[in-house]
Amino acid sequence: MSALSSLTFLKVPVRSRLSFSSRTIFIPPFSVRAKNLSSRFVFRQASNGTNPTSETVFAVPTISVDNSEEDESTAFVIRARNRIGLLQVITRVFKVLGLRIDKATVEFEGEYFTKKFFVSDSHGNKIENLESIDRIKKALMEAIDGDDLTISARPATRGIVVRKPGLLSTSGERTAKAERMFELMDGFLKNDPLSLQKDILNHVEYTVARSRFSFDDFEAYQALSHCIRDRLIERWHDTQLHFKRKDPKRVYFLSLEYLMGRSLSNSIINLGIRDQCADALSQLGFEFEVVAEQEGDAALGNGGLARLSACQMDSLATMDFPAWGYGLRYQYGLFRQVILDGFQHEQPDYWLNFGNPWEIERVHVTYPVKFYGTVEEEILNEEKYQVWIPGEMIEAVAYDNPIPGYGTRNTITLRLWAAKPSNQHDMEAYNTGDYIDAVVNRQRAETISSILYPDDRSHQGKELRLKQQYFFVSASLQDIIRRFKDVHKDLSQFPDKVALQLNDTHPALAIPEVMRVLVDEEHLGWNKAFDITCKIFSFTTHTVQAEALEKIPVDLLGSLLPRHLQIIYDINSYFMEELKKRIGLDYNRLSRMSIVEEGAVKSIRVANLSLFCSHTVNGVSKLHSELLQTRVFKDFYELWPEKFQYKTNGVTQRRWIVVSNPNLCALISKWLGTESWIRDIDLLMGLREYATDISLHQEWQMVRRVNKMRLAEYIEATSGLKVSLDAMFDVQIKRIHEYKRQLLNILGIIHRYDCIKNMAKDDRRKVVPRVCIIGGKAAPGYEMAKKIIKLCHAVAEKINNDSDVGDLLKLVFIPDYNVSVAELVIPGADLSQHISTAGHEASGTGSMKFLMNGCLLLATADGSTVEIIEEIGEDNMFLFGAKVHEVPTLREKGSTIKVPLQFARVVRMVRDGYFGFQDYFKSLCDRVEGNNDYYLLGSDFESYLGAQAAADKAFTDKEKWTRMSILSTAGSGRFSSDRTIQDYAEKTWGIEPCRCPL
């Protein structure tokens, strides 16, 4: 009996580079000392006269075993169709199984090969146990039994252009190419520090074009990023090939916004090579943290919806779901916020000025997008069809961004589209000698993907925004349909293989676009096309107020997209007939539910279109879902309650603990005894067992103090203000908006300042010191939000320079708030305020990020806070304010509500010019007094001060505060985007994991 047959085996999931699904085999528990195979393969062309083009030989892969040729090796003979990269797959299988390859030969016979591998076990003996041989053969068959992975060629202006293998003129050329490819590609890029150093230096010299003996931190960042991208591309290729082979149902996530933040640290951590990269850089004279800071934010979105999209992409990759994300590659992201004399000024965010090493430009992946023109009727096979004759054509060019998963090889794609002029228009201008017209056309085309959120107060702004939306969905759907048709010919199978997720109403034009393609281009009947359309779309709305729902003027839509307006009218006509069958001639309700809104400006209600044509409508928190059902979409819910679901939003713990708070990450792993919580965040509940442990308390407090030191250094660097680490760091960072009530926070700070000023010196010793931190951007046209920012600075100027107050109270405004700043602020916060008027926040993912980091919440019962209360209990937060059901009544009472004297006093201080700018702040004061106090600042003020007092009292009890902090982190598992995505996959999309083997 051989040594292999007598071994004790471990039971582990088998992994190979391309082909294994998760299954169980036995692997010997020995380290593999793999040999360098590139110099040991012997290539020779078969000389038996086989026709190279024949497809009759080895059509089905075969594996046989011969133990007679060598004394110390077993020969595995594999016969199969040749495929680039297959040699690497096979050798990888042997390595994973703990086997050594002593030598190998390869014979080519046309498009097929015979590969003979002489292998031995880890002790150098033959493999003679029949059960072991059978397991090895099964593992090999899993690896090589795949579909042909080629992609058919397409016209240069449509889709992907790839040369098929086998187009070389002779079999000899094919053999030479295969030999060379096998030799060059025999192995993955290595991740040890030495290999990383070599790759970094190569990229310094050949990509960045700097001397490897003289390069700075930014050039080190560029080189390291390309080095990491190389490894992502390996995984990305493997994942896409695996998806193609398995052909699972895929979800396509359509969102006009992605706040990805920085990619370097996140990618390195998901690859599991953070320490190796740090070592490699250290030996080259660089610090990893300094190099990582060189990266700018990819600010392709604004607020929670955009960051949610980024978190969900991370979870889709980590959980092995077959998914693609689609969006726009804005040349200018969200504006840079510059504060001058306390006033916000907007500057363009030239985020692409220094290049983006994470994107892969797909110059051959382009699609034409049409605008304007007319619709004509044509007859085909005695059937009438509508043909759209466009007046303008733009090309959409793909830029791919690999999104790696954590603890998996899966790496999915975020494909962003950039607008370029159509070659057809350039040629027309060239032929007429109108060079200037060609340049103007190019500039006009590129404008479509230039600006995130163009100012839509003008007709031109509205048209550009609509162009962006259609450009995005048209290119994405052409890409999705092309990918489907590469494998499937029957469009009736489309819902079985494709799920389209509408992230809010921005991508809703995808609905009439799918109908247009199916009816006008694929010539399906209207009813069949509509049935397919309704089966593939699901819709998530982030809106709380019905008046905030998006509408498109009919005149604008008819001019820009004439065929789509016809289709929407057809859908609405069908919709109205269905409604009449259900509710009769209730014209008021028919009018409310109609997709077409009659009025002074006839408009298309995009949300109603999305609701009717989607199989599922999702809210983003439990409370939000209730508001949708009882207020916003009550008419729809009463007719189709089965459509309505909710999946509370989540955030990824990889970004918001592992990347942003590595010290806390290490501490959690130490006390839980595992790092598995990074993928299975429910394990965080294990911290509850240690919530009163003094040793954990000491370590927890130390981690929090180190994070506060980092934040204090940042505050001093950006504002020049020194703050005390012993003070409570009280944070509110989010978009500046009246409903988010930053003004309530500032008025509370004024009250605290007023109290301190009027205290006796002995009483001031009892005051809990506070550093109040506010950050966020106001929309360029939102005047009230800009006045709130100015008030914050005016109050800070007064407080921070008052010697009577000293370190008892400081107010800081952090400028240009973005994802990277949040990664610094959130871990350093003691208290975080989420104080929107109840019923106005759909979800509020910011509270989840603070919760994960052990920050205590001071909040209203709004959005996801209601569910956070359920997880950690009211005793571990500071709640205040009116409940959702109380808000309408309080608004009706208006000026009859008696506001607290403290509120009247602080408003009067602002109105009377105590902080300067008396005239400028007058309208701000008017908005919070009497019937104008729509967001109930006066009504909630007393309750707000009570919650602040409770926070002060708890902060003085370090043991209690630390216990509450630990329990906050322990209860945050429900708010991971992993759970959100799992819910979507099971209840909405109907997709399953498709894990790429290692």
Side-chain angles (χ1 to χ4, degrees):
M1 181 180 293
S2 71
L4 181 64
S5 61
S6 61
L7 296 175
T8 303
F9 291 95
L10 298 176
K11 195 172 185 182
V12 300
V14 78
R15 296 164 178 171
S16 80
R17 183 179 181 191
L18 279 177
S19 311
F20 296 170
S21 56
S22 294
R23 56 192 295 273
T24 302
I25 68 164
F26 293 98
I27 297 178
F30 294 98
S31 61
V32 180
R33 292 176 293 171
K35 300 180 179 179
N36 182 359
L37 302 177
S38 60
S39 61
R40 296 187 56 80
F41 283 100
V42 180
F43 294 91
R44 57 179 179 267
Q45 178 71 23
S47 57
N48 58 2
T50 304
N51 181 356
T53 61
S54 171
E55 298 191 9
T56 59
V57 185
F58 313 144
V60 177
T62 63
I63 301 174
S64 59
V65 179
D66 188 348
N67 260 323
S68 63
E69 289 196 38
E70 298 285 339
D71 293 335
E72 297 181 351
S73 300
T74 298
F76 284 82
V77 183
I78 302 170
R79 299 178 175 89
R81 180 190 293 271
N82 187 26
R83 187 170 78 226
I84 297 299
L86 192 55
L87 175 64
Q88 183 178 349
V89 175
I90 295 170
T91 57
R92 178 76 172 175
V93 173
F94 285 127
K95 291 177 184 179
V96 169
L97 295 177
L99 304 173
R100 299 191 302 184
I101 302 175
D102 298 319
K103 63 180 180 179
T105 63
V106 180
E107 295 183 2
F108 289 94
E109 302 179 20
E111 295 185 9
Y112 300 85
F113 66 80
T114 300
K115 298 185 181 185
K116 184 179 293 186
F117 295 84
F118 294 88
V119 303
S120 56
D121 64 23
S122 57
H123 296 293
N125 300 320
K126 280 187 175 184
I127 304 164
E128 295 180 324
N129 179 270
L130 295 180
E131 185 178 356
S132 298
I133 289 173
D134 185 54
R135 290 182 184 126
I136 295 169
K137 288 171 65 178
K138 287 181 178 178
L140 288 168
M141 187 62 73
E142 279 277 341
I144 66 175
D145 186 18
D147 297 330
D148 186 0
L149 300 177
T150 62
I151 301 176
S152 59
R154 290 183 170 271
T157 59
R158 299 287 298 265
I160 297 177
V161 180
V162 179
R163 187 177 66 178
K164 289 185 179 180
L167 296 183
L168 296 175
S169 58
T170 67
S171 60
E173 290 182 30
R174 285 197 300 273
T175 302
K177 178 181 177 182
E179 290 178 10
R180 189 61 180 155
M181 291 295 293
F182 285 141
E183 180 181 348
L184 293 173
M185 299 301 293
D186 182 28
F188 291 101
L189 292 172
K190 297 178 181 178
N191 293 322
D192 60 281
L194 180 59
S195 298
L196 287 166
Q197 284 176 353
K198 290 179 179 178
D199 289 348
I200 291 170
L201 291 177
N202 280 337
H203 277 297
V204 165
E205 186 144 354
Y206 302 120
T207 304
V208 184
R210 293 287 292 169
S211 167
R212 62 181 64 195
F213 300 105
S214 177
F215 57 100
D216 60 22
D217 289 328
F218 180 71
E219 290 153 352
Y221 155 71
Q222 290 179 302
L224 177 60
S225 296
H226 281 94
C227 173
I228 299 304
R229 194 189 79 161
D230 291 344
R231 285 152 176 80
L232 293 182
I233 289 174
E234 277 188 335
R235 294 166 176 250
W236 183 86
H237 283 153
D238 291 352
T239 304
Q240 300 311 312
L241 289 170
H242 185 65
F243 287 170
K244 186 174 180 67
R245 176 176 180 264
K246 293 296 185 181
D247 189 29
K249 182 178 184 180
R250 308 185 194 197
V251 63
Y252 295 97
F253 192 84
L254 305 179
S255 177
L256 269 178
E257 297 184 48
Y258 293 91
L259 263 178
M260 302 305 295
R262 293 170 174 168
S263 295
L264 178 60
S265 293
N266 191 71
S267 298
I268 284 174
I269 285 173
N270 279 11
L271 288 173
I273 57 173
R274 199 273 183 195
D275 292 341
Q276 295 92 317
C277 288
D279 289 345
L281 286 173
S282 177
Q283 294 171 28
L284 293 174
F286 295 89
E287 294 183 28
F288 175 78
E289 290 78 9
V290 174
V291 170
E293 284 292 322
Q294 305 305 308
E295 183 176 5
D297 273 39
L300 302 180
N302 172 43
L305 178 146
R307 183 54 226 172
L308 169 71
S309 302
C311 285
Q312 291 186 338
M313 289 299 294
D314 177 89
S315 290
L316 283 165
T318 297
M319 301 177 74
D320 304 311
F321 287 115
W324 282 65
Y326 284 100
L328 279 185
R329 181 182 180 265
Y330 300 103
Q331 186 175 354
Y332 306 107
L334 186 61
F335 64 87
R336 288 183 60 244
Q337 182 190 53
V338 177
I339 304 297
L340 297 175
D341 193 27
F343 292 95
Q344 171 181 297
H345 295 267
E346 302 87 28
Q347 291 184 354
D349 179 14
Y350 300 106
W351 76 285
L352 288 173
N353 268 14
F354 298 99
N356 178 14
W358 303 104
E359 68 183 9
I360 304 157
E361 184 180 10
R362 300 294 193 188
V363 294
H364 292 110
V365 184
T366 66
Y367 297 98
V369 180
K370 300 179 284 187
F371 296 104
Y372 305 111
T374 59
V375 179
E376 299 180 0
E377 190 175 272
E378 290 188 1
I379 297 177
L380 178 66
N381 297 328
E382 299 182 351
E383 293 285 341
K384 292 182 180 179
Y385 291 97
Q386 303 298 319
V387 178
W388 180 17
I389 310 299
E392 181 180 69
M393 193 90 76
I394 304 294
E395 291 291 329
V397 180
Y399 287 78
D400 287 349
N401 298 261
I403 308 295
Y406 178 90
T408 176
R409 195 164 185 83
N410 279 43
T411 300
I412 61 175
T413 309
L414 172 60
R415 175 161 285 180
L416 303 177
W417 301 105
K420 306 293 181 183
S422 169
N423 289 334
Q424 177 183 352
H425 286 279
D426 281 354
M427 286 304 298
E428 289 175 0
Y430 175 79
N431 290 336
T432 60
D434 192 351
Y435 169 74
I436 299 299
D437 187 50
V439 174
V440 171
N441 284 338
R442 180 176 188 86
Q443 291 175 334
R444 184 169 61 245
E446 292 178 345
T447 300
I448 292 177
S449 57
S450 289
I451 306 170
L452 171 68
Y453 281 125
D455 188 347
D456 59 0
R457 288 175 292 181
S458 66
H459 176 81
Q460 291 82 1
K462 287 184 173 65
E463 183 179 61
L464 178 56
R465 185 61 175 165
L466 185 59
K467 267 192 168 184
Q468 284 185 340
Q469 293 178 353
Y470 178 67
F471 172 83
F472 155 59
V473 300
S474 174
S476 301
L477 286 169
Q478 289 182 71
D479 198 45
I480 293 165
I481 293 171
R482 185 270 308 163
R483 189 173 297 111
F484 172 82
K485 292 178 72 174
D486 279 345
V487 181
H488 307 279
K489 304 305 177 186
D490 186 359
L491 281 166
S492 63
Q493 297 178 348
F494 203 51
D496 299 325
K497 293 298 180 181
V498 171
L500 295 176
Q501 174 64 37
L502 303 178
N503 192 30
D504 219 351
T505 56
H506 309 141
L509 286 174
I511 294 170
E513 175 67 0
V514 169
M515 285 294 294
R516 186 190 68 81
V517 172
L518 295 181
V519 174
D520 296 355
E521 297 182 5
E522 300 297 335
H523 300 140
L524 297 184
W526 198 93
N527 289 334
K528 183 175 182 180
F530 190 68
D531 180 63
I532 291 173
T533 300
C534 293
K535 287 179 178 178
I536 61 177
F537 282 104
S538 55
F539 168 51
T540 296
T541 176
H542 300 261
T543 306
V544 179
Q545 303 297 321
E547 55 270 19
L549 296 170
E550 184 179 8
K551 299 174 185 177
I552 304 174
V554 165
D555 290 344
L556 174 60
L557 185 60
S559 170
L560 190 67
L561 303 169
R563 180 60 181 136
H564 295 75
L565 181 59
Q566 290 180 351
I567 291 171
I568 291 172
Y569 276 141
D570 289 341
I571 292 173
N572 193 54
S573 177
Y574 175 81
F575 179 34
M576 290 293 102
E577 292 303 315
E578 289 295 308
L579 277 181
K580 289 173 184 176
K581 295 176 184 177
R582 301 284 296 269
I583 65 175
L585 299 179
D586 184 345
Y587 291 109
N588 286 333
R589 190 172 182 185
L590 289 171
S591 177
R592 292 196 304 268
M593 297 181 70
S594 174
I595 297 169
V596 180
E597 180 184 56
E598 303 291 345
V601 178
K602 193 172 183 179
S603 302
I604 301 300
R605 294 180 175 126
V606 183
N608 290 17
L609 173 67
S610 303
L611 281 162
F612 178 56
C613 298
S614 297
H615 58 78
T616 307
V617 180
N618 295 286
V620 291
S621 70
K622 185 177 181 180
L623 178 59
H624 181 229
S625 181
E626 292 173 358
L627 292 173
L628 294 180
Q629 295 170 16
T630 58
R631 295 186 191 175
V632 186
F633 300 132
K634 180 180 179 182
D635 290 325
F636 287 86
Y637 176 72
E638 289 176 351
L639 290 177
W640 295 288
E642 69 281 359
K643 275 192 178 188
F644 286 76
Q645 300 178 0
Y646 82 90
K647 286 99 176 170
T648 301
N649 285 343
V651 298
T652 170
Q653 62 271 25
R654 268 82 59 184
R655 169 74 69 169
W656 296 108
I657 299 181
V658 183
V659 172
S660 64
N661 200 344
N663 292 328
L664 181 62
C665 173
L667 182 60
I668 292 171
S669 298
K670 172 187 173 182
W671 280 84
L672 292 180
T674 179
E675 293 184 345
S676 298
W677 64 270
I678 300 175
R679 275 182 66 99
D680 183 5
I681 197 171
D682 286 340
L683 294 175
L684 284 181
M685 288 189 291
L687 289 174
R688 290 173 177 169
E689 181 181 344
Y690 310 106
T692 58
D693 191 295
I694 300 302
S695 297
L696 176 57
H697 277 215
Q698 293 173 346
E699 295 180 33
W700 196 271
Q701 290 167 9
M702 180 59 67
V703 166
R704 296 201 57 77
R705 190 166 184 85
V706 169
N707 290 333
K708 290 177 72 172
M709 290 174 62
R710 291 172 58 223
L711 178 53
E713 290 172 359
Y714 180 79
I715 291 172
E716 185 175 2
T718 55
S719 68
L721 184 68
K722 290 186 177 182
V723 297
S724 170
L725 297 180
D726 295 324
M728 180 198 299
F729 281 20
D730 174 358
V731 174
Q732 186 183 22
I733 47 174
K734 52 187 70 208
R735 281 187 303 121
I736 308 297
H737 199 292
E738 288 174 277
Y739 88 79
K740 293 180 182 290
R741 299 203 293 190
Q742 285 92 351
L743 182 55
L744 175 62
N745 187 1
I746 296 170
L747 294 176
I749 293 169
I750 295 173
H751 172 74
R752 180 177 291 267
Y753 169 69
D754 188 43
C755 289
I756 294 172
K757 286 287 288 182
N758 289 292
M759 279 182 184
K761 287 187 177 180
D762 289 342
D763 291 335
R764 289 179 186 171
R765 296 173 185 170
K766 303 175 184 177
V767 173
V768 175
R770 288 250 189 152
V771 176
C772 300
I773 301 167
I774 297 176
K777 297 179 180 180
Y782 194 173
E783 190 62 29
M784 283 299 161
K786 288 188 171 184
K787 289 188 176 184
I788 290 171
I789 291 176
K790 176 57 183 174
L791 177 62
C792 180
H793 283 86
V795 174
E797 182 73 17
K798 175 72 73 173
I799 293 174
N800 297 340
N801 293 298
D802 193 326
S803 58
D804 291 340
V805 175
D807 286 338
L808 293 181
L809 183 62
K810 298 293 183 185
L811 174 56
V812 182
F813 186 90
I814 293 184
D816 202 33
Y817 173 64
N818 56 28
V819 175
S820 298
V821 173
E823 291 174 13
L824 184 67
V825 173
I826 291 172
D830 292 308
L831 183 74
S832 178
Q833 298 196 39
H834 303 271
I835 56 178
S836 56
T837 310
H840 285 74
E841 193 75 80
S843 178
T845 52
S847 59
M848 304 170 187
K849 300 164 192 171
F850 284 98
L851 190 73
M852 282 183 177
N853 283 271
C855 178
L856 303 193
L857 305 183
L858 188 149
T860 52
D862 194 23
S864 60
T865 304
V866 174
E867 291 158 86
I868 292 176
I869 295 169
E870 294 174 359
E871 288 298 306
I872 69 173
E874 292 188 19
D875 293 342
N876 292 308
M877 347 177 20
F878 308 101
L879 296 172
F880 77 97
K883 303 295 190 292
V884 172
H885 67 277
E886 297 171 337
V887 170
T889 303
L890 290 171
R891 282 180 176 152
E892 286 177 8
K893 291 181 179 179
S895 58
T896 62
I897 298 176
K898 187 176 181 179
V899 298
L901 292 176
Q902 302 100 313
F903 182 76
R905 176 174 172 80
V906 295
V907 173
R908 177 59 58 183
M909 289 173 70
V910 176
R911 187 182 288 280
D912 289 347
Y914 188 86
F915 303 98
F917 303 91
Q918 182 175 358
D919 292 339
Y920 185 71
F921 293 139
K922 180 180 182 300
S923 60
L924 206 56
C925 296
D926 291 341
R927 292 288 275 253
V928 297
E929 292 186 328
N931 288 324
N932 297 325
D933 190 12
Y934 184 78
Y935 295 107
L936 304 181
L937 277 69
S939 175
D940 280 352
F941 194 70
E942 187 172 7
S943 176
Y944 176 70
L945 295 181
Q948 291 282 14
D952 282 337
K953 182 178 180 181
F955 191 73
T956 60
D957 186 344
K958 293 301 180 186
E959 182 179 343
K960 177 181 179 181
W961 188 275
T962 304
R963 185 183 72 252
M964 294 169 70
S965 176
I966 294 170
L967 291 174
S968 294
T969 300
S972 65
R974 177 176 172 182
F975 307 101
S976 167
S977 52
D978 292 353
R979 189 265 317 143
T980 308
I981 289 300
Q982 187 66 47
D983 285 351
Y984 271 108
E986 293 177 357
K987 301 174 183 177
T988 300
W989 301 330
I991 61 172
E992 296 181 352
C994 187
R995 187 179 179 87
C996 180
L998 297 178

